Amino acid sequence: MKPAQIERTPFADLDRQPREMTTMLLAALEEMGRHPEIRRVRNTAMQALRPAAGWRVLDAGSGAGDVARWIATEVGPAGEVIALDYSAATIAAAVERHDGSNVRYTTGDVSAIDLPSDNVDGVWCERVLQHIDDADLAIAELIRVTRPGGRVCLIDTDWSSLAFDGVPPRLARTVVSGMHGRLTPRQVDMGRTLRRRLVGKGLSDVSATPVTCVFGDPASAAVVLPMVNPMVPEQAWMTAPGVREKWFSHVDEAGARGDFLAVLTIWAVAGTVA
Ligand SMILES: C[S@@+](CC[C@H](N)C(=O)[O-])C[C@H]1O[C@@H](n2cnc3c(N)ncnc32)[C@H](O)[C@@H]1O
């Protein structure tokens, strides 16, 4: 029998994407990082990680490196951040954005980290595990490289929590289920599984905070939600012809009336390594 094919997302291997696609995705990630709701998620996660001055922290799947540079300010000049990402193009883009802070950028796989055991005081892993074939294997690696008493902080989305108001409910359901058809099973509910995964690996002092991001207008939502972003090409839509146009016309009308609403829960989960 043929083994089941593992579904991949573009973020699973950015270097295999056309260069323009990688550039576009990185720009989108940076814009997301500036969004007030994503900043609220990150502030929640930072409080859960509790990095101290002098800590050595691994940012696993660091993207453009904006969080790594922020953590570097938290751990101060005596600390260090290792920004690790699978994609060489992404690490090159992060290096271009370097601001002189104490960040070391490196390519690597979160599922086989090239660091000794007990090497870091803390780990940040944001919106990465939903793109990984075996999230538990990656989490085991994150725990392995963290010293006893160190903290592991995981942040991920629950795409199945996505909901809209101000637009016709049936149309919203069609659009959301079309998007869910494009998601891998891991992406649908990774956020809510993180607490179970850390508890199962024996971490203590586990905190799990669902941050429900609220988008009160289409322009704000478009930064985080692809189905509200008119720049996402029509080919990426898995809905019947005409649905996209109808959807955007209702989204625009709701925006003009001021009653557009979208909500999405992102989880910030952290625990202490035994
Ligand atoms: C959605 S982005 C999130 C980036 C960043 N953490 C943020 O929140 O802005 C996912 C990142 O994980 C990286 N990634 C995917 N699979 C990886 C793996 N196996 N090991 C390390 N990084 C990986 C991708 O290259 C990408 O930069």
Side-chain angles (χ1 to χ4, degrees), residues 8 10-15 26 29-30 32-33 38 42 59-67 84-87 90 108-111 124-133:
R8 317 296 301 273
F11 280 114
D13 193 352
L14 280 174
D15 291 351
L26 284 176
L29 278 181
E30 284 190 298
M32 272 186 222
I38 298 298
R42 287 181 172 173
D59 181 359
S62 49
D66 45 339
V67 168
L84 175 142
D85 201 282
Y86 190 68
S87 153
T90 300
D109 186 349
V110 70
S111 304
W124 179 287
C125 186
E126 177 179 350
R127 292 178 292 170
V128 176
L129 295 171
Q130 61 179 285
H131 305 291
I132 300 282
D133 294 341

Side-chain angles (χ1 to χ4, degrees), residues 114-176:
D114 189 14
L115 285 175
S117 299
D118 304 350
N119 186 259
V120 300
D121 303 290
V123 166
W124 179 287
C125 186
E126 177 179 350
R127 292 178 292 170
V128 176
L129 295 171
Q130 61 179 285
H131 305 291
I132 300 282
D133 294 341
D134 185 342
D136 285 317
L137 175 67
I139 293 170
E141 271 295 89
L142 298 175
I143 294 170
R144 179 187 67 76
V145 300
T146 307
R147 66 159 167 84
R151 299 276 292 169
V152 171
C153 180
L154 310 176
I155 299 128
D156 235 308
T157 317
D158 248 15
W159 281 106
S160 59
S161 69
L162 178 61
F164 290 95
D165 193 42
V167 287
R170 187 184 292 205
L171 181 60
R173 276 199 296 279
T174 301
V175 169
V176 169

Side-chain angles (χ1 to χ4, degrees), residues 66-254:
D66 45 339
V67 168
R69 291 184 288 277
W70 178 34
I71 299 172
T73 65
E74 297 287 315
V75 299
E80 185 191 23
V81 180
I82 303 161
L84 175 142
D85 201 282
Y86 190 68
S87 153
T90 300
I91 285 294
V95 168
E96 273 172 27
R97 290 155 174 78
H98 186 53
D99 60 0
S101 56
N102 213 358
V103 179
R104 181 156 64 81
Y105 303 88
T106 181
T107 51
D109 186 349
V110 70
S111 304
I113 302 172
D114 189 14
L115 285 175
S117 299
D118 304 350
N119 186 259
V120 300
D121 303 290
V123 166
W124 179 287
C125 186
E126 177 179 350
R127 292 178 292 170
V128 176
L129 295 171
Q130 61 179 285
H131 305 291
I132 300 282
D133 294 341
D134 185 342
D136 285 317
L137 175 67
I139 293 170
E141 271 295 89
L142 298 175
I143 294 170
R144 179 187 67 76
V145 300
T146 307
R147 66 159 167 84
R151 299 276 292 169
V152 171
C153 180
L154 310 176
I155 299 128
D156 235 308
T157 317
D158 248 15
W159 281 106
S160 59
S161 69
L162 178 61
F164 290 95
D165 193 42
V167 287
R170 187 184 292 205
L171 181 60
R173 276 199 296 279
T174 301
V175 169
V176 169
S177 59
M179 179 208 167
H180 284 166
R182 290 201 322 270
L183 296 177
T184 67
R186 295 182 297 279
Q187 283 181 290
V188 174
D189 64 357
M190 181 54 75
R192 82 188 61 168
T193 71
L194 297 176
R195 180 179 184 281
R196 164 170 55 79
R197 292 174 195 267
L198 286 191
V199 168
K201 294 208 178 320
L203 272 69
S204 59
D205 190 16
V206 175
S207 67
T209 312
V211 182
T212 297
C213 299
V214 180
F215 306 99
D217 66 83
S220 158
V223 176
V224 178
L225 307 176
M227 76 291 293
V228 191
N229 185 345
M231 304 296 285
V232 171
E234 189 150 15
Q235 310 85 277
W237 280 66
M238 292 207 4
T239 46
V243 168
R244 182 179 184 273
E245 290 65 35
K246 197 171 164 193
W247 168 250
F248 274 114
S249 116
H250 281 286
V251 165
D252 291 345
E253 283 171 24

